[in-house]
Amino acid sequence: MPLLFALVLFLFSFHVRTAFSAHCSITTPTKTFEKCMTLPTQQASIAWTFHAHNATLDLVFSGTFISPSGWVGWGINPSSAEMTGTRALIAFPDPNSGQLVLLPFILDPTVKLQKSPPLSRPLDIHLLSSSATLYGGKMATIHNGAAIQVYATLKLVPNKTKIHFVWNRGLYVQGYSPAIHPTTSNDLSSIATIDVLSGFSAAHRDDTRTLKIAHGILNAISWGVLLPIGAATARYLRHIQALGPTWFYVHAGIQLCAFIIGTVGFAIGIRLGELSPGVVYGLHRKLGFAAFSFGALQTLALLFRPKTTNKFRKYWKSYHHFVGYACVVLGVVNVFQGFEVMGESRSYAKLGYCLCLSTLIGVCIALEVNSWVVFCRKSKEEKLRREGLISCGSGKGSGIHG
């Protein structure tokens, strides 16, 4: 339990640290703006000045490349908070000269469906000016992690200060057409609705991120930690005669707590799916449903547990073992799959979980070795005892028969 508490504290502190570690700035090497905002993904930020008298917006987007031949872009969707329909400005190295270029794109449905590569064309919004610079000036080069700032001046619709802001980045460019961006949770969530007059963003994105964090922590604890602990409890404590039936109540209590917490995490996952139309994690979703179904079957099996004298007890026991271990394996595998879809595959949160799971596996190995040592010792003693009884009986045979 102290190890589990430490894991919860570590995961929570990591996500809080991540949420507050990024920062924005209203000052750039060429201009100073009135407001700025840290965007929720990709360590990106924006700064802007809104001129209410003529509905003009001066804006700079700050992002980073993830490949020397990649691209970074941002745009505005005039109608809805989604990628399709976005009017974007995308920067990437020129395939011929290697110099930084900035081109306009309209992301229509064919781009999302990957039916055809995006082609640069003039935007149908009032874009007054645009430019892009690398951090470090003209001598800077594009590399993995290179920072870029994309400037633009736009004319907004009068009395409409809320804009749907979309941003992303990719690994490479085909000619002058940006290739598809990565499809992790963070990359698919690079959308925000911002009021440029007040400086506030729509709350549902923050709520979604909070739900993702809660979903990840609850499921890592339940399916990834408590469930294996409960299985280990049944395997290694039931043979300790001094405990009596206590091992069963401990086992059942841990597994029941794991299933209840896991059910809450599962429900949050379903809600996240409803809040993210078009975002589908096929393998993670299937593993989640399978683990939850097996967990529900195990809970129901507890209600139909035959007595030890019942002839069906051995079949129930085999079923219970198979479903239980399958549920443990599915749960642990899906926790790692969850780290992948959340973009935390190389995070400290995953490291903390791996350390916790490794500790649990190490304890199980030690207990397994100890169980086999005890089993072999008892077998040897039983064998010697039988041999002793046989020799004793043969020695007293004549006396008994006489």
Side-chain angles (χ1 to χ4, degrees), residues 328-347:
V328 170
V329 172
L330 287 172
V332 172
V333 170
N334 208 27
V335 169
F336 283 103
Q337 185 66 23
F339 281 117
E340 293 293 330
V341 301
M342 286 189 70
E344 305 285 353
S345 57
R346 296 186 177 182
S347 66

Side-chain angles (χ1 to χ4, degrees), residues 169-192:
R169 56 192 181 180
L171 290 169
Y172 61 97
V173 178
Q174 296 176 326
Y176 288 90
S177 298
I180 186 173
H181 58 74
T183 55
T184 65
S185 176
N186 285 338
D187 296 299
L188 295 174
S189 303
S190 299
I191 303 171

Side-chain angles (χ1 to χ4, degrees), residues 29-96:
T30 59
K31 205 166 186 179
T32 300
F33 298 87
E34 290 182 355
K35 294 181 175 68
C36 73
M37 177 179 293
T38 299
L39 298 174
T41 63
Q42 302 180 352
Q43 296 84 46
S45 65
I46 58 170
W48 72 91
T49 299
F50 178 63
H51 307 283
H53 64 281
N54 60 0
T56 302
L57 179 68
D58 292 324
L59 181 146
V60 61
F61 167 80
S62 300
T64 55
F65 283 91
I66 55 174
S67 168
S69 58
W71 57 268
V72 175
W74 69 270
I76 291 175
N77 192 320
S79 57
S80 60
E82 60 178 337
M83 184 191 79
T84 304
T86 297
R87 277 62 175 168
L89 293 172
I90 300 179
F92 53 85
D94 189 293
N96 299 317

Side-chain angles (χ1 to χ4, degrees), residues 342-384:
M342 286 189 70
E344 305 285 353
S345 57
R346 296 186 177 182
S347 66
Y348 288 109
K350 184 177 180 180
L351 176 62
Y353 175 72
C354 289
L355 290 174
C356 182
L357 188 62
S358 299
T359 303
L360 179 59
I361 292 174
V363 171
C364 289
I365 291 174
L367 291 173
E368 188 70 27
V369 171
N370 181 70
S371 297
W372 276 101
V373 170
V374 172
F375 173 76
C376 292
R377 184 185 301 159
K378 286 185 177 180
S379 298
K380 188 175 181 180
E381 290 176 354
E382 184 67 23
K383 183 179 179 181
L384 293 174

Side-chain angles (χ1 to χ4, degrees), residues 274-305:
E274 295 174 353
L275 293 175
S276 307
V279 180
V280 180
Y281 303 112
L283 180 60
H284 184 59
R285 185 183 180 89
K286 292 173 183 176
L287 288 174
F289 272 100
F292 180 78
S293 300
F294 280 4
L297 287 173
Q298 283 293 76
T299 305
L300 290 174
L302 188 65
L303 303 177
F304 301 99
R305 181 169 174 254

Side-chain angles (χ1 to χ4, degrees), residues 56 102 125 162 172 199 208-209 236 259 262 276 279 281 306 315 323 365 401:
T56 302
L102 181 68
I125 59 175
K162 285 186 178 181
Y172 61 97
T208 301
R209 176 156 182 81
Y236 300 114
F259 182 69
S276 307
V279 180
Y281 303 112
Y315 302 110
V323 175
I365 291 174
H401 288 291

Side-chain angles (χ1 to χ4, degrees), residues 240-301:
I240 303 177
Q241 296 179 355
L243 293 177
T246 305
W247 71 267
F248 172 75
Y249 299 112
V250 173
H251 166 69
I254 293 176
Q255 300 300 72
L256 190 60
C257 288
F259 182 69
I260 292 173
I261 297 172
T263 301
V264 175
F266 179 78
I268 293 175
I270 298 296
R271 179 58 180 162
L272 283 171
E274 295 174 353
L275 293 175
S276 307
V279 180
V280 180
Y281 303 112
L283 180 60
H284 184 59
R285 185 183 180 89
K286 292 173 183 176
L287 288 174
F289 272 100
F292 180 78
S293 300
F294 280 4
L297 287 173
Q298 283 293 76
T299 305
L300 290 174

Side-chain angles (χ1 to χ4, degrees), residues 2-217:
L3 183 64
L4 180 61
F5 178 76
L7 175 65
V8 175
L9 187 63
F10 179 83
L11 291 173
F12 180 76
S13 63
F14 168 78
H15 285 291
V16 170
R17 230 178 16 251
T18 302
F20 291 98
S21 60
H23 64 279
C24 66
S25 174
I26 61 173
T27 304
T28 68
T30 59
K31 205 166 186 179
T32 300
F33 298 87
E34 290 182 355
K35 294 181 175 68
C36 73
M37 177 179 293
T38 299
L39 298 174
T41 63
Q42 302 180 352
Q43 296 84 46
S45 65
I46 58 170
W48 72 91
T49 299
F50 178 63
H51 307 283
H53 64 281
N54 60 0
T56 302
L57 179 68
D58 292 324
L59 181 146
V60 61
F61 167 80
S62 300
T64 55
F65 283 91
I66 55 174
S67 168
S69 58
W71 57 268
V72 175
W74 69 270
I76 291 175
N77 192 320
S79 57
S80 60
E82 60 178 337
M83 184 191 79
T84 304
T86 297
R87 277 62 175 168
L89 293 172
I90 300 179
F92 53 85
D94 189 293
N96 299 317
S97 64
Q99 298 297 315
L100 185 68
V101 295
L102 181 68
L103 296 179
F105 292 85
I106 297 178
L107 307 181
D108 54 34
T110 60
V111 175
K112 184 174 182 179
L113 296 174
Q114 301 182 49
K115 291 183 177 180
S116 61
L119 299 176
S120 177
R121 52 176 162 159
L123 303 181
D124 54 1
I125 59 175
H126 297 290
L127 178 65
L128 304 180
S129 65
S130 62
S131 62
T133 60
L134 287 171
Y135 183 80
K138 295 182 179 180
M139 301 301 293
T141 58
I142 299 175
H143 60 274
N144 186 11
I148 184 175
Q149 293 174 328
V150 182
Y151 296 83
T153 301
L154 306 103
K155 181 84 171 177
L156 301 183
V157 177
N159 301 320
K160 186 177 180 181
T161 59
K162 285 186 178 181
I163 61 173
H164 304 300
F165 198 78
V166 182
W167 67 99
N168 226 306
R169 56 192 181 180
L171 290 169
Y172 61 97
V173 178
Q174 296 176 326
Y176 288 90
S177 298
I180 186 173
H181 58 74
T183 55
T184 65
S185 176
N186 285 338
D187 296 299
L188 295 174
S189 303
S190 299
I191 303 171
T193 301
I194 302 170
D195 190 325
V196 295
L197 183 61
S198 65
F200 292 107
S201 64
H204 74 278
R205 290 290 164 187
D206 294 334
D207 293 342
T208 301
R209 176 156 182 81
T210 302
L211 286 176
K212 286 181 180 178
I213 294 172
H215 171 74
I217 292 176

